[in-house]
Amino acid sequence: MSTTTPPRAMKRTATAVHHGITKTDDYAWLRADNWQEVMRDPSVLDPEIRAYLEAENAHTDAAMADTKALQDTLFEELKGRIKQDDSSVPSPDGPYAYATRYEEGAQHPKVVRTPRDGGPETVLIDANAMAEGKAYFRLAGVDHSPDHKLIAWTCDEAGSEFFTLHVRDAETGEDLADEIPQTSGGSVWANDGRTLFYVWLDDNHRPCKVFRHVVGEPHESDVCIYEEKDAGFFVSVGKTQSGKYIAIDIHDHETSEVRLIDADAPTSEPVLIAPRETAQEYSVEHRGALIYLLTNAGGAEDFKIVTAPVDAPGRENWEDLVAHKPGRLILSLTLYEDYMVRLERENSLPRIVIRRIADNLEHEIAFAEEAYSLGAGDGYEFDTHTLRFSYSSMTTPTRIFDYDMGTRERTLRKEQEVPSGHDPDAYVTRRIMAPAPDGERVPVTLLYAKSTPLDGSAPCLLYGYGSYGISIPASFSTNALSLVERGFVYAVAHIRGGKDKGFAWYAKGRREHKLNTFTDFIAAGEHLAREGFTTRGKIIAQGGSAGGMLMGVVANRAPDLFSGIIAEVPFVDVLTTMLDDTLPLTPPEWPEWGNPITDEAAYRTIAGYSPIDNVIAQHYPAILAVGGLTDPRVTYWEPAKWVAKLRELKHDDNLLLLKTNMDAGHGGASGRFDRLKEVAFNWAFALKVAGKA
């Protein structure tokens, strides 16, 4: 029960008509007219909007004041499970090995290098020093030049994801005069070690241009080598593992197109591989006289691998190398001098497949647990027999292996330390299948303590996402242990909209099929209750971003199933956002949700589930909504408007809290300890709602 008087947002009704349908919005005023400026400088936010957000923050603080000691305890627990002076396994590249490490008590990392075979360390970037005195600081891309003399690095000091690109002398540690604002956060070196390629963001935060920069030259003279005119497409820039080509990738959520630039001739014109065709995707790798493409062309729904000559890369010359196999989703492809590596998923479980190019002999890396996470790192080098991969499960901390692709010998390079202690045998991880209303079986991964009774008495935290084809791995989480050790069942629902069971699992959870995402999540909760893992009304649902949209929908559709909802940066004003093509992500999002501007059917579909548009006068679970003032992905006004409408219409006294981070964006706090404080707050809310605070 809330013991404080919550603020009430004023109603100022705005209307819009689309397809003859009138849409009203009582809280549209919470969107700042100068939102682009606010992204860069939060101090220019309209005082009336700021006052409302700060009133909500004060209400949240007051309502959660009785959990302050619990939050402190949880924070110390969470902090106690991370190795404060942790470091990555050094990654070799020529004469050096590069790594990231933290120092005891530091919020941000250092990027360092040592001689390849050991020796004195050089600190290349000290993000902790650069963050000092700043409310927000995020180090993004750090890329060394091929000759190891220069470091290109980017940072964001507002949370808005407008990154400034800098160039540093690796020997002296001094930054050069080069400073390029408004980039996407990464950069790619040509092989001359003097030419950089980067992506520029327009004022609406759209990555639409690729520029070429020569170190030492003013950025105003940089050459635009590619501009994407279609507002529905994003551009990015990368480099093939071979180091031979700079790759410009143009894409939305279902269509892609790639252009290559010879990295030895950075002023040469980009060469188009194959023109875009709607709903066809491809990505490019290179070895010798061939390019290798991972593609869904020719009806290869779960993707296949094809090759083509470098000098004749068009679709007419694509030849199958790894044929399409329905149900086996190929997730990624990396080429080395002697080996081809692909990461794939089948039956909801990942595996790494290694092919020796000389004779096409294949073998795989897989594990025997019911559910686990597996990842492969590309590394810096092309002519190597060493593959680095990671493995974890809900009970097994992350392990990093170096794997000799020739001898098949694996070397454990690092095992995640849990300084406060962790006994995998004290926990159980399981994979169960929940029946969906249409007969599909939804995978659900579980973690709970062996001592937890499975008689329905345990509270449950159920996490879900279900969009963009993103699969949620069954990986180790030290944060989840704080709930599990207090008697929770921690569950992840691998619902449609992700690619957990192949591309069809994604296709059946988007656009006109989006309802499946929500009914899958509800079915997962119902099944957990039916099987005794928990009880209806004892489930706390959690999701962020598009997963926050999921939270809004299930709160509307199945409020009695849940005791609480944690919605982080929730995309809850779906219809309004998709109707506004001036917002950063709207045009590229239409393939995911549908375009309600031109398509009445899409309008009606989105209107049928958009959380804000379906809030009604009923009881709701306790709700915690978290936003970020400078968030360019899910703008701050979405959770603010949602909470305002819920407060107007709901018929209960359950907690309804809005917490807006006034100094951060989509990812929350930038420092690792500040982020743990946010987790501690969320967990305190969950425990309070579950009666365990």
Side-chain angles (χ1 to χ4, degrees), residues 278-297:
T278 300
Q280 287 204 13
E281 299 178 69
Y282 68 89
S283 58
V284 177
E285 271 289 3
H286 161 259
R287 178 185 177 275
L290 294 177
I291 60 168
Y292 292 67
L293 303 102
L294 177 60
T295 181
N296 65 348

Side-chain angles (χ1 to χ4, degrees), residues 447-611:
L447 174 70
Y448 53 89
K450 282 186 177 176
S451 58
T452 298
L454 302 181
D455 58 3
S457 62
C460 173
L461 188 128
L462 179 60
Y463 180 86
Y465 188 75
S467 291
Y468 305 117
I470 294 173
S471 301
I472 305 302
S475 55
F476 186 69
S477 167
T478 56
N479 293 345
L481 297 177
S482 285
L483 292 180
V484 170
E485 290 175 357
R486 287 173 170 80
F488 270 71
V489 171
Y490 184 86
V492 177
H494 305 279
I495 53 183
R496 276 175 281 189
K499 292 179 182 174
D500 304 76
K501 294 177 72 173
F503 189 88
W505 201 244
Y506 168 42
K508 288 296 184 180
R510 64 174 179 171
R511 291 199 293 262
E512 68 272 21
H513 304 296
K514 193 62 196 171
L515 186 63
N516 289 328
T517 299
F518 317 130
T519 55
D520 281 0
F521 189 82
I522 292 168
E526 298 278 11
H527 188 66
L528 288 168
R530 197 162 47 243
E531 295 298 307
F533 292 103
T534 188
T535 301
R536 288 181 58 86
K538 298 192 76 168
I539 301 171
I540 296 165
Q542 183 191 22
S545 195
M549 174 203 63
L550 169 68
M551 297 299 100
V553 174
V554 300
N556 287 333
R557 289 174 173 260
D560 59 333
L561 180 61
F562 305 101
S563 58
I565 301 283
I566 300 173
E568 298 181 276
V569 290
F571 179 36
V572 284
D573 200 8
V574 185
L575 183 58
T576 302
T577 296
M578 288 298 102
L579 285 167
D580 186 350
D581 60 7
T582 69
L583 289 173
L585 296 181
T586 292
E589 295 286 286
W590 289 328
E592 179 76 14
W593 314 104
N595 183 349
I597 298 174
T598 61
D599 183 349
E600 182 179 345
Y603 182 101
R604 292 185 180 278
T605 296
I606 297 170
Y609 66 76
S610 179

